[in-house]
Amino acid sequence: MLPKELSYTREHEWLKVSDENMVIIGITDYAQEELGDITFVELPEVGQVISGGDSPVTLESVKAVSSVYSPAAGEIIEVNSRLDDEPELINESPYTDGWIFKIRITGAMITPLLSPGEYQEFIDSLD
Amino acid sequence: MSVNKKLDRTPLYKNHKKIDAKLAPFAGWEMPEMYGNILKEHLHTRSANSIFDICHMGEFIIEGKKAEKDLENLLSCGLASLGSGRCRYGFLLNDEGFFIDDLIIFKYSCTRFMIVVNSSRITNDAEWICSHLSTSTSFTNISDKTAKIDLQGPLSFKTASSVFPDIEFVVMNRFAFIEFEYEGIKLTASTTGYTGELGFEFFMPPESAVTIWELLLEVDSVKPAGLSSRNSLRLEKGLPLYGYDITDKITPIEANLERFVNFNKDFIGKDALIRQIRNKPARILTPFLCAGRSTAREGFTIYKDNKPAGVVTSGVFSPMLNKGIGLAMIDQSISAVGTIIECRKDDTKINAVIIDLPFIR
């Protein structure tokens, strides 16, 4: 089940938007399933300023290497440093302990945000 | 890319589907890549035992009064010193000393042998072998009539003995094989494999594969494992993979596999190998250990002092070491153990160190 309080992207990321343009970003259960066991997470520096569409995070899994994109321009406020030693948190709890980074956004979203229902429809159409 | 050819399916296809295996194309076959979790499959094989569907691999029977003489000429490994009921790892090489394939040869007697080859090489191997046999020697490709299930891991002997209680597996050393019958099914079991663990490869008729697979799975300690974990298992033990670490542009000398070449006999490619040893090969296949979890994979360029000096041929995350490991074809000059190298691809840079095999004991 997709958590109702989150928004989703077609890049299989989830966003938790809170006040003051703070957004927490992670990858969806569908994405972690596709990647397989995640073995390494390259996290950005806190304070790094990025543009929308940049990929501040690289995920390595037993099967592939993939990027996590930022849906908007902004500044990295916090990263989940537990992932340095426990990258498997993304596989085990992608929507909670496996969150990846927090960003203060300063620009518009460059990718449409999907509701849980819309994202579910999107992944159903992929299979 | 479009793939028009329909993928082959092994006799165990339905068993894999039933337990939601993730299937993926491999060498023209639809093979189980994993059964849910590659890391767990890897670690389970190291600590207990797993079964692998390896039905895609090729098997040839070579028979005749000159079979041994013909095969001595074709293969890098010696056969005269190999006893009946034993197997040996060796290579088919061309005149230039390049790999046509790597294989395991089974000696039933001086006049009857089985060769187990990579599935992607069946056609090339068959052509090459047939064109070098005496007229009295027969060649039969039994790949379609042979299914293969590997049982690998420290508990393999215990498992095999409980499933086939009448068979004395304990008398078998590594690289031996026996033929036996179980409820009318003719099986061959060899103490070989591709994980570096104790274990067996079971050969049987395809119509019996489901029976044997299910029988093995009934043992509590046995779990199925897919080709992805097989790949990380073999690389942790430094075993090369055809098409990646060894190819038709690489020799056994460059691949650091000279110990599987018997220079006390004549074979195709020998002269080229001797020349190469004399001139010292410019490059050599070398294991490396990444500094951390980030893994240099196949295709990364190796740099030393900011100069390109090789290429990664295989790279995986090692579940036993919790670090990236791999093999790279590098300039001989930087191959000393302890040499620090950098592996690069696009913006990614990974530090690594040249080490000795195996990655794990």
mmCIF file of all heavy atoms in Angstrom, chain B residues 286-297 300-305 309-312 314-316 321 323-328 330 334-344 348-356 359:
data_model
loop_
_atom_site.group_PDB
_atom_site.id
_atom_site.type_symbol
_atom_site.label_atom_id
_atom_site.label_comp_id
_atom_site.label_asym_id
_atom_site.label_seq_id
_atom_site.Cartn_x
_atom_site.Cartn_y
_atom_site.Cartn_z
ATOM 1 N N THR B 286 43.709 -9.146 -13.060
ATOM 2 C CA THR B 286 44.149 -8.934 -11.685
ATOM 3 C C THR B 286 42.964 -8.608 -10.779
ATOM 4 O O THR B 286 42.106 -7.811 -11.154
ATOM 5 C CB THR B 286 45.143 -7.744 -11.645
ATOM 6 O OG1 THR B 286 46.179 -8.014 -12.588
ATOM 7 C CG2 THR B 286 45.747 -7.565 -10.283
ATOM 8 N N PRO B 287 42.905 -9.215 -9.608
ATOM 9 C CA PRO B 287 41.827 -8.891 -8.677
ATOM 10 C C PRO B 287 42.063 -7.552 -7.972
ATOM 11 O O PRO B 287 43.209 -7.192 -7.697
ATOM 12 C CB PRO B 287 41.868 -10.041 -7.669
ATOM 13 C CG PRO B 287 43.194 -10.682 -7.801
ATOM 14 C CD PRO B 287 43.791 -10.290 -9.116
ATOM 15 N N PHE B 288 40.985 -6.843 -7.712
ATOM 16 C CA PHE B 288 41.099 -5.588 -6.948
ATOM 17 C C PHE B 288 39.989 -5.520 -5.907
ATOM 18 O O PHE B 288 38.932 -6.144 -6.065
ATOM 19 C CB PHE B 288 41.047 -4.369 -7.879
ATOM 20 C CG PHE B 288 39.727 -4.202 -8.584
ATOM 21 C CD1 PHE B 288 38.672 -3.527 -7.986
ATOM 22 C CD2 PHE B 288 39.530 -4.742 -9.858
ATOM 23 C CE1 PHE B 288 37.448 -3.382 -8.639
ATOM 24 C CE2 PHE B 288 38.314 -4.613 -10.521
ATOM 25 C CZ PHE B 288 37.270 -3.927 -9.902
ATOM 26 N N LEU B 289 40.278 -4.789 -4.846
ATOM 27 C CA LEU B 289 39.325 -4.607 -3.755
ATOM 28 C C LEU B 289 39.011 -3.121 -3.644
ATOM 29 O O LEU B 289 39.933 -2.300 -3.529
ATOM 30 C CB LEU B 289 39.958 -5.118 -2.448
ATOM 31 C CG LEU B 289 39.184 -4.954 -1.147
ATOM 32 C CD1 LEU B 289 37.941 -5.849 -1.149
ATOM 33 C CD2 LEU B 289 40.078 -5.310 0.050
ATOM 34 N N CYS B 290 37.743 -2.761 -3.698
ATOM 35 C CA CYS B 290 37.358 -1.349 -3.606
ATOM 36 C C CYS B 290 37.509 -0.871 -2.164
ATOM 37 O O CYS B 290 37.443 -1.653 -1.211
ATOM 38 C CB CYS B 290 35.926 -1.155 -4.078
ATOM 39 S SG CYS B 290 35.682 -1.613 -5.801
ATOM 40 N N ALA B 291 37.672 0.432 -2.011
ATOM 41 C CA ALA B 291 37.890 0.998 -0.674
ATOM 42 C C ALA B 291 36.660 0.862 0.208
ATOM 43 O O ALA B 291 36.770 0.792 1.433
ATOM 44 C CB ALA B 291 38.294 2.458 -0.808
ATOM 45 N N GLY B 292 35.493 0.840 -0.402
ATOM 46 C CA GLY B 292 34.265 0.768 0.394
ATOM 47 C C GLY B 292 33.196 -0.012 -0.330
ATOM 48 O O GLY B 292 33.487 -0.868 -1.160
ATOM 49 N N ARG B 293 31.941 0.331 -0.015
ATOM 50 C CA ARG B 293 30.821 -0.405 -0.597
ATOM 51 C C ARG B 293 30.618 -0.082 -2.073
ATOM 52 O O ARG B 293 30.074 -0.874 -2.827
ATOM 53 C CB ARG B 293 29.537 -0.053 0.164
ATOM 54 C CG ARG B 293 29.477 -0.671 1.547
ATOM 55 C CD ARG B 293 28.247 -0.179 2.307
ATOM 56 N NE ARG B 293 27.861 -1.145 3.319
ATOM 57 C CZ ARG B 293 26.945 -2.097 3.137
ATOM 58 N NH1 ARG B 293 26.321 -2.200 1.984
ATOM 59 N NH2 ARG B 293 26.666 -2.943 4.084
ATOM 60 N N SER B 294 31.015 1.102 -2.470
ATOM 61 C CA SER B 294 30.813 1.506 -3.855
ATOM 62 C C SER B 294 31.669 0.626 -4.759
ATOM 63 O O SER B 294 32.846 0.424 -4.502
ATOM 64 C CB SER B 294 31.206 2.976 -4.012
ATOM 65 O OG SER B 294 30.839 3.412 -5.296
ATOM 66 N N THR B 295 31.040 0.092 -5.811
ATOM 67 C CA THR B 295 31.656 -0.990 -6.577
ATOM 68 C C THR B 295 31.972 -0.577 -8.011
ATOM 69 O O THR B 295 31.105 -0.069 -8.714
ATOM 70 C CB THR B 295 30.693 -2.199 -6.610
ATOM 71 O OG1 THR B 295 30.394 -2.568 -5.268
ATOM 72 C CG2 THR B 295 31.305 -3.369 -7.343
ATOM 73 N N ALA B 296 33.216 -0.805 -8.429
ATOM 74 C CA ALA B 296 33.588 -0.597 -9.831
ATOM 75 C C ALA B 296 33.118 -1.809 -10.619
ATOM 76 O O ALA B 296 33.499 -2.928 -10.310
ATOM 77 C CB ALA B 296 35.100 -0.446 -9.946
ATOM 78 N N ARG B 297 32.260 -1.565 -11.594
ATOM 79 C CA ARG B 297 31.687 -2.668 -12.352
ATOM 80 C C ARG B 297 32.332 -2.802 -13.718
ATOM 81 O O ARG B 297 33.145 -1.974 -14.121
ATOM 82 C CB ARG B 297 30.169 -2.450 -12.481
ATOM 83 C CG ARG B 297 29.490 -2.608 -11.115
ATOM 84 C CD ARG B 297 28.148 -1.905 -11.047
ATOM 85 N NE ARG B 297 27.799 -1.659 -9.659
ATOM 86 C CZ ARG B 297 26.818 -2.287 -9.012
ATOM 87 N NH1 ARG B 297 26.071 -3.178 -9.617
ATOM 88 N NH2 ARG B 297 26.565 -2.013 -7.735
ATOM 89 N N PHE B 300 34.339 -0.118 -16.180
ATOM 90 C CA PHE B 300 35.052 0.998 -15.564
ATOM 91 C C PHE B 300 36.496 0.998 -16.084
ATOM 92 O O PHE B 300 37.090 -0.064 -16.275
ATOM 93 C CB PHE B 300 35.100 0.845 -14.037
ATOM 94 C CG PHE B 300 33.905 1.410 -13.313
ATOM 95 C CD1 PHE B 300 32.632 0.916 -13.554
ATOM 96 C CD2 PHE B 300 34.061 2.431 -12.372
ATOM 97 C CE1 PHE B 300 31.535 1.427 -12.877
ATOM 98 C CE2 PHE B 300 32.970 2.953 -11.692
ATOM 99 C CZ PHE B 300 31.703 2.459 -11.937
ATOM 100 N N THR B 301 37.059 2.191 -16.295
ATOM 101 C CA THR B 301 38.457 2.291 -16.710
ATOM 102 C C THR B 301 39.345 2.393 -15.480
ATOM 103 O O THR B 301 39.017 3.107 -14.532
ATOM 104 C CB THR B 301 38.659 3.535 -17.603
ATOM 105 O OG1 THR B 301 37.722 3.443 -18.680
ATOM 106 C CG2 THR B 301 40.070 3.586 -18.180
ATOM 107 N N ILE B 302 40.452 1.653 -15.500
ATOM 108 C CA ILE B 302 41.410 1.709 -14.395
ATOM 109 C C ILE B 302 42.428 2.815 -14.686
ATOM 110 O O ILE B 302 42.970 2.883 -15.791
ATOM 111 C CB ILE B 302 42.170 0.366 -14.256
ATOM 112 C CG1 ILE B 302 41.195 -0.800 -14.061
ATOM 113 C CG2 ILE B 302 43.236 0.435 -13.169
ATOM 114 C CD1 ILE B 302 40.592 -0.893 -12.713
ATOM 115 N N TYR B 303 42.665 3.652 -13.683
ATOM 116 C CA TYR B 303 43.674 4.706 -13.810
ATOM 117 C C TYR B 303 44.751 4.524 -12.756
ATOM 118 O O TYR B 303 44.465 4.111 -11.635
ATOM 119 C CB TYR B 303 43.038 6.104 -13.615
ATOM 120 C CG TYR B 303 42.318 6.602 -14.836
ATOM 121 C CD1 TYR B 303 41.037 6.152 -15.124
ATOM 122 C CD2 TYR B 303 42.918 7.527 -15.699
ATOM 123 C CE1 TYR B 303 40.365 6.599 -16.256
ATOM 124 C CE2 TYR B 303 42.245 7.978 -16.823
ATOM 125 C CZ TYR B 303 40.977 7.519 -17.098
ATOM 126 O OH TYR B 303 40.328 7.963 -18.207
ATOM 127 N N LYS B 304 45.988 4.824 -13.168
ATOM 128 C CA LYS B 304 47.094 4.888 -12.207
ATOM 129 C C LYS B 304 47.847 6.166 -12.516
ATOM 130 O O LYS B 304 48.226 6.380 -13.680
ATOM 131 C CB LYS B 304 47.995 3.651 -12.366
ATOM 132 C CG LYS B 304 49.217 3.646 -11.471
ATOM 133 C CD LYS B 304 48.816 3.468 -10.025
ATOM 134 C CE LYS B 304 49.978 3.726 -9.086
ATOM 135 N NZ LYS B 304 49.515 3.895 -7.696
ATOM 136 N N ASP B 305 48.035 7.014 -11.519
ATOM 137 C CA ASP B 305 48.670 8.325 -11.717
ATOM 138 C C ASP B 305 47.994 9.088 -12.858
ATOM 139 O O ASP B 305 48.676 9.663 -13.723
ATOM 140 C CB ASP B 305 50.171 8.160 -12.005
ATOM 141 C CG ASP B 305 50.883 7.442 -10.868
ATOM 142 O OD1 ASP B 305 50.429 7.603 -9.715
ATOM 143 O OD2 ASP B 305 51.847 6.703 -11.130
ATOM 144 N N ALA B 309 45.028 2.620 -17.467
ATOM 145 C CA ALA B 309 45.941 1.463 -17.384
ATOM 146 C C ALA B 309 45.184 0.146 -17.353
ATOM 147 O O ALA B 309 45.718 -0.873 -16.929
ATOM 148 C CB ALA B 309 46.825 1.590 -16.148
ATOM 149 N N GLY B 310 43.923 0.161 -17.803
ATOM 150 C CA GLY B 310 43.197 -1.112 -17.832
ATOM 151 C C GLY B 310 41.701 -0.927 -17.766
ATOM 152 O O GLY B 310 41.199 0.200 -17.776
ATOM 153 N N VAL B 311 41.000 -2.047 -17.695
ATOM 154 C CA VAL B 311 39.547 -2.002 -17.687
ATOM 155 C C VAL B 311 38.999 -3.110 -16.773
ATOM 156 O O VAL B 311 39.578 -4.201 -16.678
ATOM 157 C CB VAL B 311 38.992 -2.133 -19.130
ATOM 158 C CG1 VAL B 311 39.363 -3.473 -19.748
ATOM 159 C CG2 VAL B 311 37.485 -1.936 -19.181
ATOM 160 N N VAL B 312 37.908 -2.789 -16.073
ATOM 161 C CA VAL B 312 37.275 -3.769 -15.193
ATOM 162 C C VAL B 312 36.495 -4.766 -16.059
ATOM 163 O O VAL B 312 35.720 -4.370 -16.932
ATOM 164 C CB VAL B 312 36.331 -3.077 -14.184
ATOM 165 C CG1 VAL B 312 35.576 -4.117 -13.345
ATOM 166 C CG2 VAL B 312 37.118 -2.130 -13.280
ATOM 167 N N SER B 314 34.884 -7.669 -14.500
ATOM 168 C CA SER B 314 33.772 -8.086 -13.638
ATOM 169 C C SER B 314 33.880 -7.309 -12.346
ATOM 170 O O SER B 314 34.986 -7.171 -11.819
ATOM 171 C CB SER B 314 33.874 -9.567 -13.246
ATOM 172 O OG SER B 314 33.475 -10.431 -14.254
ATOM 173 N N GLY B 315 32.746 -6.852 -11.834
ATOM 174 C CA GLY B 315 32.765 -6.194 -10.534
ATOM 175 C C GLY B 315 31.444 -6.411 -9.832
ATOM 176 O O GLY B 315 30.396 -6.261 -10.445
ATOM 177 N N VAL B 316 31.509 -6.815 -8.571
ATOM 178 C CA VAL B 316 30.274 -6.981 -7.783
ATOM 179 C C VAL B 316 30.504 -6.486 -6.366
ATOM 180 O O VAL B 316 31.642 -6.322 -5.920
ATOM 181 C CB VAL B 316 29.803 -8.461 -7.688
ATOM 182 C CG1 VAL B 316 29.440 -9.031 -9.045
ATOM 183 C CG2 VAL B 316 30.814 -9.336 -6.972
ATOM 184 N N LEU B 321 32.519 -9.509 2.303
ATOM 185 C CA LEU B 321 33.488 -8.479 2.683
ATOM 186 C C LEU B 321 32.830 -7.118 2.898
ATOM 187 O O LEU B 321 33.450 -6.204 3.427
ATOM 188 C CB LEU B 321 34.563 -8.342 1.593
ATOM 189 C CG LEU B 321 35.400 -9.594 1.304
ATOM 190 C CD1 LEU B 321 36.291 -9.376 0.091
ATOM 191 C CD2 LEU B 321 36.243 -9.965 2.521
ATOM 192 N N LYS B 323 32.295 -5.012 0.676
ATOM 193 C CA LYS B 323 33.035 -4.067 -0.155
ATOM 194 C C LYS B 323 32.883 -4.478 -1.614
ATOM 195 O O LYS B 323 32.527 -5.623 -1.907
ATOM 196 C CB LYS B 323 34.527 -4.105 0.200
ATOM 197 C CG LYS B 323 34.849 -3.366 1.480
ATOM 198 C CD LYS B 323 36.334 -3.340 1.731
ATOM 199 C CE LYS B 323 36.611 -2.484 2.975
ATOM 200 N NZ LYS B 323 38.013 -2.433 3.306
ATOM 201 N N GLY B 324 33.212 -3.559 -2.494
ATOM 202 C CA GLY B 324 33.226 -3.903 -3.905
ATOM 203 C C GLY B 324 34.469 -4.721 -4.223
ATOM 204 O O GLY B 324 35.541 -4.476 -3.671
ATOM 205 N N ILE B 325 34.306 -5.723 -5.108
ATOM 206 C CA ILE B 325 35.450 -6.513 -5.560
ATOM 207 C C ILE B 325 35.353 -6.663 -7.083
ATOM 208 O O ILE B 325 34.282 -6.456 -7.654
ATOM 209 C CB ILE B 325 35.494 -7.924 -4.930
ATOM 210 C CG1 ILE B 325 34.197 -8.702 -5.266
ATOM 211 C CG2 ILE B 325 35.735 -7.860 -3.442
ATOM 212 C CD1 ILE B 325 34.261 -10.185 -4.905
ATOM 213 N N GLY B 326 36.463 -7.044 -7.699
ATOM 214 C CA GLY B 326 36.373 -7.275 -9.133
ATOM 215 C C GLY B 326 37.658 -7.802 -9.730
ATOM 216 O O GLY B 326 38.673 -7.972 -9.041
ATOM 217 N N LEU B 327 37.568 -8.085 -11.026
ATOM 218 C CA LEU B 327 38.737 -8.458 -11.816
ATOM 219 C C LEU B 327 38.916 -7.391 -12.883
ATOM 220 O O LEU B 327 37.923 -6.887 -13.429
ATOM 221 C CB LEU B 327 38.537 -9.818 -12.484
ATOM 222 C CG LEU B 327 38.432 -11.040 -11.565
ATOM 223 C CD1 LEU B 327 38.013 -12.274 -12.372
ATOM 224 C CD2 LEU B 327 39.746 -11.290 -10.846
ATOM 225 N N ALA B 328 40.169 -7.051 -13.170
ATOM 226 C CA ALA B 328 40.441 -6.051 -14.202
ATOM 227 C C ALA B 328 41.610 -6.513 -15.051
ATOM 228 O O ALA B 328 42.547 -7.141 -14.548
ATOM 229 C CB ALA B 328 40.770 -4.706 -13.551
ATOM 230 N N ILE B 330 44.701 -5.322 -16.612
ATOM 231 C CA ILE B 330 45.507 -4.114 -16.402
ATOM 232 C C ILE B 330 46.914 -4.284 -16.938
ATOM 233 O O ILE B 330 47.386 -5.394 -17.160
ATOM 234 C CB ILE B 330 45.582 -3.721 -14.898
ATOM 235 C CG1 ILE B 330 46.179 -4.876 -14.084
ATOM 236 C CG2 ILE B 330 44.224 -3.308 -14.379
ATOM 237 C CD1 ILE B 330 46.551 -4.474 -12.679
ATOM 238 N N ILE B 334 51.462 -2.260 -13.368
ATOM 239 C CA ILE B 334 50.800 -1.773 -12.147
ATOM 240 C C ILE B 334 50.137 -2.922 -11.388
ATOM 241 O O ILE B 334 49.283 -2.706 -10.526
ATOM 242 C CB ILE B 334 49.760 -0.679 -12.455
ATOM 243 C CG1 ILE B 334 48.582 -1.241 -13.277
ATOM 244 C CG2 ILE B 334 50.380 0.509 -13.146
ATOM 245 C CD1 ILE B 334 47.311 -0.460 -13.083
ATOM 246 N N SER B 335 50.547 -4.158 -11.689
ATOM 247 C CA SER B 335 49.806 -5.304 -11.151
ATOM 248 C C SER B 335 50.305 -5.793 -9.794
ATOM 249 O O SER B 335 49.778 -6.770 -9.257
ATOM 250 C CB SER B 335 49.836 -6.456 -12.165
ATOM 251 O OG SER B 335 51.165 -6.917 -12.310
ATOM 252 N N ALA B 336 51.302 -5.130 -9.223
ATOM 253 C CA ALA B 336 51.831 -5.595 -7.941
ATOM 254 C C ALA B 336 50.774 -5.480 -6.845
ATOM 255 O O ALA B 336 50.017 -4.504 -6.794
ATOM 256 C CB ALA B 336 53.061 -4.779 -7.568
ATOM 257 N N VAL B 337 50.735 -6.485 -5.969
ATOM 258 C CA VAL B 337 49.807 -6.466 -4.846
ATOM 259 C C VAL B 337 50.072 -5.218 -4.005
ATOM 260 O O VAL B 337 51.222 -4.888 -3.727
ATOM 261 C CB VAL B 337 49.974 -7.746 -3.993
ATOM 262 C CG1 VAL B 337 49.210 -7.645 -2.688
ATOM 263 C CG2 VAL B 337 49.521 -8.959 -4.799
ATOM 264 N N GLY B 338 49.010 -4.523 -3.637
ATOM 265 C CA GLY B 338 49.153 -3.321 -2.828
ATOM 266 C C GLY B 338 49.108 -2.033 -3.637
ATOM 267 O O GLY B 338 48.996 -0.947 -3.065
ATOM 268 N N THR B 339 49.171 -2.151 -4.960
ATOM 269 C CA THR B 339 49.112 -0.948 -5.802
ATOM 270 C C THR B 339 47.728 -0.293 -5.685
ATOM 271 O O THR B 339 46.711 -0.956 -5.783
ATOM 272 C CB THR B 339 49.365 -1.311 -7.283
ATOM 273 O OG1 THR B 339 50.580 -2.031 -7.375
ATOM 274 C CG2 THR B 339 49.418 -0.072 -8.157
ATOM 275 N N ILE B 340 47.728 1.002 -5.438
ATOM 276 C CA ILE B 340 46.463 1.740 -5.346
ATOM 277 C C ILE B 340 46.067 2.193 -6.752
ATOM 278 O O ILE B 340 46.874 2.770 -7.480
ATOM 279 C CB ILE B 340 46.611 2.988 -4.433
ATOM 280 C CG1 ILE B 340 47.131 2.583 -3.044
ATOM 281 C CG2 ILE B 340 45.293 3.752 -4.335
ATOM 282 C CD1 ILE B 340 46.160 1.808 -2.197
ATOM 283 N N ILE B 341 44.830 1.913 -7.125
ATOM 284 C CA ILE B 341 44.346 2.322 -8.443
ATOM 285 C C ILE B 341 43.046 3.121 -8.283
ATOM 286 O O ILE B 341 42.456 3.147 -7.196
ATOM 287 C CB ILE B 341 44.073 1.089 -9.354
ATOM 288 C CG1 ILE B 341 43.148 0.095 -8.640
ATOM 289 C CG2 ILE B 341 45.383 0.419 -9.752
ATOM 290 C CD1 ILE B 341 42.618 -1.004 -9.528
ATOM 291 N N GLU B 342 42.638 3.760 -9.372
ATOM 292 C CA GLU B 342 41.366 4.464 -9.359
ATOM 293 C C GLU B 342 40.523 3.906 -10.502
ATOM 294 O O GLU B 342 41.022 3.738 -11.613
ATOM 295 C CB GLU B 342 41.604 5.958 -9.541
ATOM 296 C CG GLU B 342 40.390 6.791 -9.194
ATOM 297 C CD GLU B 342 40.672 8.283 -9.352
ATOM 298 O OE1 GLU B 342 41.094 8.706 -10.442
ATOM 299 O OE2 GLU B 342 40.444 9.007 -8.380
ATOM 300 N N CYS B 343 39.254 3.600 -10.216
ATOM 301 C CA CYS B 343 38.344 3.080 -11.231
ATOM 302 C C CYS B 343 37.362 4.193 -11.564
ATOM 303 O O CYS B 343 36.730 4.752 -10.678
ATOM 304 C CB CYS B 343 37.574 1.872 -10.707
ATOM 305 S SG CYS B 343 38.603 0.660 -9.872
ATOM 306 N N ARG B 344 37.264 4.517 -12.858
ATOM 307 C CA ARG B 344 36.428 5.653 -13.244
ATOM 308 C C ARG B 344 35.421 5.279 -14.307
ATOM 309 O O ARG B 344 35.723 4.500 -15.217
ATOM 310 C CB ARG B 344 37.289 6.775 -13.840
ATOM 311 C CG ARG B 344 38.257 7.397 -12.885
ATOM 312 C CD ARG B 344 38.859 8.628 -13.568
ATOM 313 N NE ARG B 344 40.105 9.027 -12.897
ATOM 314 C CZ ARG B 344 40.974 9.888 -13.407
ATOM 315 N NH1 ARG B 344 40.744 10.431 -14.603
ATOM 316 N NH2 ARG B 344 42.066 10.212 -12.744
ATOM 317 N N THR B 348 31.913 9.010 -11.827
ATOM 318 C CA THR B 348 32.184 8.180 -10.656
ATOM 319 C C THR B 348 33.654 7.804 -10.582
ATOM 320 O O THR B 348 34.247 7.383 -11.568
ATOM 321 C CB THR B 348 31.337 6.895 -10.725
ATOM 322 O OG1 THR B 348 29.983 7.273 -10.907
ATOM 323 C CG2 THR B 348 31.474 6.064 -9.466
ATOM 324 N N LYS B 349 34.238 7.984 -9.387
ATOM 325 C CA LYS B 349 35.629 7.581 -9.170
ATOM 326 C C LYS B 349 35.669 6.721 -7.916
ATOM 327 O O LYS B 349 35.164 7.132 -6.865
ATOM 328 C CB LYS B 349 36.521 8.813 -8.945
ATOM 329 C CG LYS B 349 36.716 9.653 -10.180
ATOM 330 C CD LYS B 349 37.614 10.826 -9.875
ATOM 331 C CE LYS B 349 37.732 11.739 -11.100
ATOM 332 N NZ LYS B 349 38.552 12.924 -10.824
ATOM 333 N N ILE B 350 36.239 5.543 -8.052
ATOM 334 C CA ILE B 350 36.287 4.625 -6.916
ATOM 335 C C ILE B 350 37.729 4.193 -6.696
ATOM 336 O O ILE B 350 38.391 3.704 -7.606
ATOM 337 C CB ILE B 350 35.391 3.393 -7.175
ATOM 338 C CG1 ILE B 350 33.923 3.837 -7.308
ATOM 339 C CG2 ILE B 350 35.544 2.363 -6.063
ATOM 340 C CD1 ILE B 350 33.002 2.771 -7.846
ATOM 341 N N ASN B 351 38.211 4.377 -5.467
ATOM 342 C CA ASN B 351 39.566 3.932 -5.147
ATOM 343 C C ASN B 351 39.573 2.443 -4.852
ATOM 344 O O ASN B 351 38.632 1.910 -4.257
ATOM 345 C CB ASN B 351 40.105 4.682 -3.929
ATOM 346 C CG ASN B 351 40.488 6.103 -4.291
ATOM 347 O OD1 ASN B 351 41.001 6.355 -5.393
ATOM 348 N ND2 ASN B 351 40.201 7.028 -3.390
ATOM 349 N N ALA B 352 40.643 1.790 -5.287
ATOM 350 C CA ALA B 352 40.742 0.354 -5.060
ATOM 351 C C ALA B 352 42.206 -0.017 -4.919
ATOM 352 O O ALA B 352 43.100 0.790 -5.207
ATOM 353 C CB ALA B 352 40.113 -0.399 -6.231
ATOM 354 N N VAL B 353 42.438 -1.248 -4.466
ATOM 355 C CA VAL B 353 43.805 -1.728 -4.295
ATOM 356 C C VAL B 353 43.923 -3.106 -4.956
ATOM 357 O O VAL B 353 42.989 -3.900 -4.917
ATOM 358 C CB VAL B 353 44.185 -1.768 -2.785
ATOM 359 C CG1 VAL B 353 43.254 -2.678 -1.994
ATOM 360 C CG2 VAL B 353 45.637 -2.208 -2.588
ATOM 361 N N ILE B 354 45.064 -3.331 -5.585
ATOM 362 C CA ILE B 354 45.334 -4.641 -6.196
ATOM 363 C C ILE B 354 45.612 -5.644 -5.086
ATOM 364 O O ILE B 354 46.415 -5.370 -4.189
ATOM 365 C CB ILE B 354 46.575 -4.569 -7.130
ATOM 366 C CG1 ILE B 354 46.396 -3.495 -8.207
ATOM 367 C CG2 ILE B 354 46.901 -5.934 -7.728
ATOM 368 C CD1 ILE B 354 45.340 -3.774 -9.227
ATOM 369 N N ILE B 355 44.936 -6.785 -5.139
ATOM 370 C CA ILE B 355 45.159 -7.801 -4.105
ATOM 371 C C ILE B 355 45.397 -9.159 -4.766
ATOM 372 O O ILE B 355 45.450 -9.272 -5.978
ATOM 373 C CB ILE B 355 43.976 -7.878 -3.108
ATOM 374 C CG1 ILE B 355 42.684 -8.303 -3.829
ATOM 375 C CG2 ILE B 355 43.776 -6.564 -2.403
ATOM 376 C CD1 ILE B 355 41.633 -8.811 -2.896
ATOM 377 N N ASP B 356 45.531 -10.180 -3.921
ATOM 378 C CA ASP B 356 45.701 -11.549 -4.400
ATOM 379 C C ASP B 356 44.393 -12.315 -4.232
ATOM 380 O O ASP B 356 43.612 -12.025 -3.342
ATOM 381 C CB ASP B 356 46.784 -12.252 -3.562
ATOM 382 C CG ASP B 356 48.093 -12.363 -4.323
ATOM 383 O OD1 ASP B 356 48.060 -12.276 -5.567
ATOM 384 O OD2 ASP B 356 49.134 -12.541 -3.666
ATOM 385 N N PHE B 359 39.393 -13.651 -2.905
ATOM 386 C CA PHE B 359 38.918 -12.524 -2.110
ATOM 387 C C PHE B 359 38.542 -12.996 -0.706
ATOM 388 O O PHE B 359 38.742 -12.308 0.267
ATOM 389 C CB PHE B 359 37.702 -11.876 -2.765
ATOM 390 C CG PHE B 359 38.011 -11.224 -4.071
ATOM 391 C CD1 PHE B 359 37.678 -11.830 -5.263
ATOM 392 C CD2 PHE B 359 38.635 -9.985 -4.106
ATOM 393 C CE1 PHE B 359 37.962 -11.224 -6.481
ATOM 394 C CE2 PHE B 359 38.925 -9.368 -5.316
ATOM 395 C CZ PHE B 359 38.586 -9.996 -6.506
#
